[in-house]
Amino acid sequence: MTDALPLVTAPLPEAARALMARIDARTACAGVVGLGYVGLPLAVELARAGFRTIGFDVDASKASAISRGESYVPDVPSDEIRALTAAGRLEATTDFGALERVDTIHICVPTPLRKTKDPDLSYVIAVVEHIAVRIRSGQLVVLESTTYPGTTEEVVRPQLERSGLAVGRDVFLAFSPERVDPGNPVFRTRNVPKVIGGCTPACTALASAVYGTAVDRVVPVSSTRVAEMVKLLENTFRAVNIGLVNELALMCDRLGIDVWEVVDAAKTKPFGFMPFYPGPGLGGHCIPIDPFYLSWKARQNGFEARFIELAGHVNGAMPHFVVDKITEALNTRRKAVNGAPVLVAGITYKRDIDDIRESPALDVMGLLHARGARVSYSDPHVSTRASGPAARLSRPCRSRPRRSRPRTASRC
Ligand SMILES: NC(=O)c1ccc[n+]([C@@H]2O[C@H](COP(=O)([O-])OP(=O)(O)OC[C@H]3O[C@@H](n4cnc5c(N)ncnc54)[C@H](O)[C@@H]3O)[C@@H](O)[C@H]2O)c1
């Protein structure tokens, strides 16, 4: 289902009409760049919708896993990959030359922060460089990576137009934020509405058409900037409300009130309240990062995003609060943190996933370690044998585990 398209009055340019026909007939070939938590589920949905889909990644192990029919994203079953690769609908490569073969290009690469908390668009820029040297008339490019308002128009569009092709006439460009919630058994790529803002009405129409085949509902908006801002509103809403409830937790602790009981009772109000829960901090690739994309852009325009900075401050202090509480608890039992064996149960940033990026558990472990605790963790989703983010766990360790086995507590 596609909500009413805003501002579609003029007829589509010729190149757009040709692509629209290929989308309608499912003869278009889709390309997804960045096959991580966001890109792989999207590639699968596009392939399931009937498009021949090529996934691109700089990580050769991901491309070869897909070629072998193996999934490395828990939400995507290997069976599904196997069925799609066997049917010739899904393939993956590290060869960006294959971008010439695709009609639509969906960019799903990381958008982290630099140490200074400024946006790091280097991954997006690297991909757009690959696209810009190969782009041909009739291609649609959609940026999905979370970013600040203005990125698509100010960063991606000029890079693409250096080819001599004009956006909106020869090639088409849109922003559509990814809203995936890894580990959520109810809401998957297919049944989460997709917000789409194109550089021109033709760009919006084409992007809406392609996503309309792969997701249940498409929500077109009037511009790329609006679409970019939608995602940042959603994630800033979460960060600020988590910051609020974390501050309330600190307050309740001081006042001797059980914050959990307060939230549970407050959420019985059937209107005007949405429960958020306190925790050891913010984790994952989105909530701790995305709001700072917005505050950076606001700052460039002389605007101070006070809620974002304050929430960041409160949430960032939570691991220290947790470690203080542990210290206090040990103290009441006449024990010191220094030398105490401490087991951290669950270290991913939320339940039922294998992602430890930005997980506050890592901060808690690091702080405990700094106070001399002998820290272990137990998490069925994180193996000490893992490469990538999990491998970083060994950094603060005093001694490495002799044998690393998944599903067991591992001494740091
Ligand atoms: N993970 C989430 O829950 C989530 C939710 C919504 C939005 N997002 C956003 O989606 C984007 C991607 O996030 P993710 O979690 O999928 O990241 P990820 O790290 O899981 O995946 C990104 C992939 O891009 C690949 N990559 C990096 N540079 C590349 C390049 N130059 N060319 C091709 N591939 C390259 C990496 O190898 C990796 O496989 C980010 O902007 C993120 O903020 C993530």
Side-chain angles (χ1 to χ4, degrees):
M1 183 177 94
T2 300
D3 293 9
L5 280 170
L7 313 173
V8 179
T9 46
L12 291 177
E14 196 185 320
R17 283 204 304 278
L19 178 55
M20 191 66 94
R22 286 169 68 73
I23 292 169
D24 287 345
R26 307 289 194 275
T27 52
C29 181
V32 177
V33 187
L35 297 171
Y37 289 95
V38 165
L40 184 59
L42 175 68
V44 164
E45 285 306 335
L46 289 167
R48 274 164 44 115
F51 299 106
R52 193 160 162 242
T53 303
I54 306 177
F56 299 82
D57 206 293
V58 286
D59 183 344
S61 70
K62 288 186 175 160
S64 46
I66 292 170
S67 306
R68 290 193 306 272
E70 286 170 18
S71 175
Y72 45 85
V73 170
D75 290 344
V76 178
S78 290
D79 288 353
E80 200 151 9
I81 305 264
R82 262 194 297 280
L84 291 167
T85 50
R89 293 243 290 281
L90 180 65
E91 63 184 280
T93 180
T94 54
D95 173 14
F96 287 83
L99 282 169
E100 286 165 10
R101 285 159 45 203
V102 302
D103 298 291
T104 68
I105 302 170
H106 309 260
I107 304 171
C108 307
V109 292
T111 42
L113 288 172
R114 297 188 189 284
K115 282 208 173 78
T116 52
K117 293 217 163 166
D118 288 352
D120 177 1
L121 285 184
S122 58
Y123 298 87
V124 172
I125 290 169
V127 171
V128 179
E129 269 165 15
H130 279 301
I131 299 170
V133 294
R134 299 175 174 91
I135 196 156
R136 58 170 169 77
S137 176
Q139 280 183 319
L140 166 72
V141 177
V142 185
L143 179 60
E144 293 222 0
S145 304
T146 307
T147 185
Y148 59 80
T151 307
T152 311
E153 283 284 355
E154 295 160 17
V155 179
V156 181
R157 183 175 185 161
Q159 244 183 305
L160 293 182
E161 289 193 325
R162 252 180 255 140
S163 64
L165 297 169
V167 164
R169 185 194 65 201
D170 309 310
V171 292
F172 305 93
L173 175 62
F175 181 82
S176 179
E178 182 47 62
R179 291 162 137 181
V180 71
D181 182 17
N184 189 323
V186 178
F187 293 109
R188 300 295 175 102
T189 302
R190 172 134 216 129
N191 61 354
V192 176
K194 201 98 176 77
V195 171
I196 292 165
C199 289
T200 69
C203 300
T204 309
L206 285 169
S208 300
V210 72
Y211 285 109
T213 65
V215 301
D216 293 345
R217 182 175 166 206
V218 162
V219 185
V221 294
S222 63
S223 68
T224 54
R225 279 189 175 81
V226 169
E228 289 158 339
M229 193 63 154
V230 166
K231 174 73 186 178
L232 294 181
L233 167 62
E234 291 165 6
N235 284 358
T236 301
F237 172 82
R238 298 269 305 281
V240 167
N241 279 288
I242 294 168
L244 174 65
V245 82
N246 276 336
E247 189 175 69
L248 201 86
L250 302 182
M251 215 186 296
C252 282
D253 182 64
R254 195 68 65 84
L255 299 175
I257 298 169
D258 180 349
V259 67
W260 298 93
E261 188 184 351
V262 172
V263 175
D264 280 346
K267 77 179 186 200
T268 60
K269 186 178 179 185
F271 52 88
F273 184 80
M274 177 183 282
F276 283 84
Y277 299 93
L282 292 182
H285 191 44
C286 296
I287 315 292
I289 292 172
D290 302 347
F292 292 100
Y293 268 68
L294 185 53
S295 60
W296 178 85
K297 185 65 179 178
R299 214 165 38 247
Q300 303 298 302
N301 289 271
F303 188 93
E304 192 195 342
R306 286 174 295 170
F307 273 108
I308 294 174
E309 297 299 332
L310 183 58
H313 186 70
V314 173
N315 291 327
M318 290 310 286
H320 295 267
F321 175 70
V322 170
V323 170
D324 284 346
K325 295 298 281 182
I326 294 168
T327 307
E328 218 175 280
L330 285 168
N331 191 44
T332 57
R333 287 160 185 80
R334 298 182 180 188
K335 287 186 175 156
V337 182
N338 197 345
V342 179
L343 176 73
V344 179
I347 61 162
T348 61
Y349 78 89
K350 63 176 180 175
R351 71 178 160 209
D352 296 337
I353 58 158
D354 65 351
D355 192 351
I356 59 166
R357 287 179 295 183
E358 312 292 327
S359 174
L362 304 183
D363 293 331
V364 169
M365 290 166 81
L367 289 168
L368 283 167
H369 176 69
R371 291 188 189 190
R374 292 185 289 124
V375 186
S376 311
Y377 75 85
S378 171
D379 193 316
H381 295 284
V382 183
S383 157
T384 52
R385 277 189 305 195
S387 58
R392 289 203 301 269
L393 285 173
S394 58
R395 275 192 205 145
C397 302
R398 284 192 300 185
S399 58
R400 296 181 65 113
R402 245 189 264 158
R403 250 185 325 156
S404 43
R405 289 174 298 165
R407 296 180 183 276
T408 55
S410 313
R411 177 63 46 89
C412 282

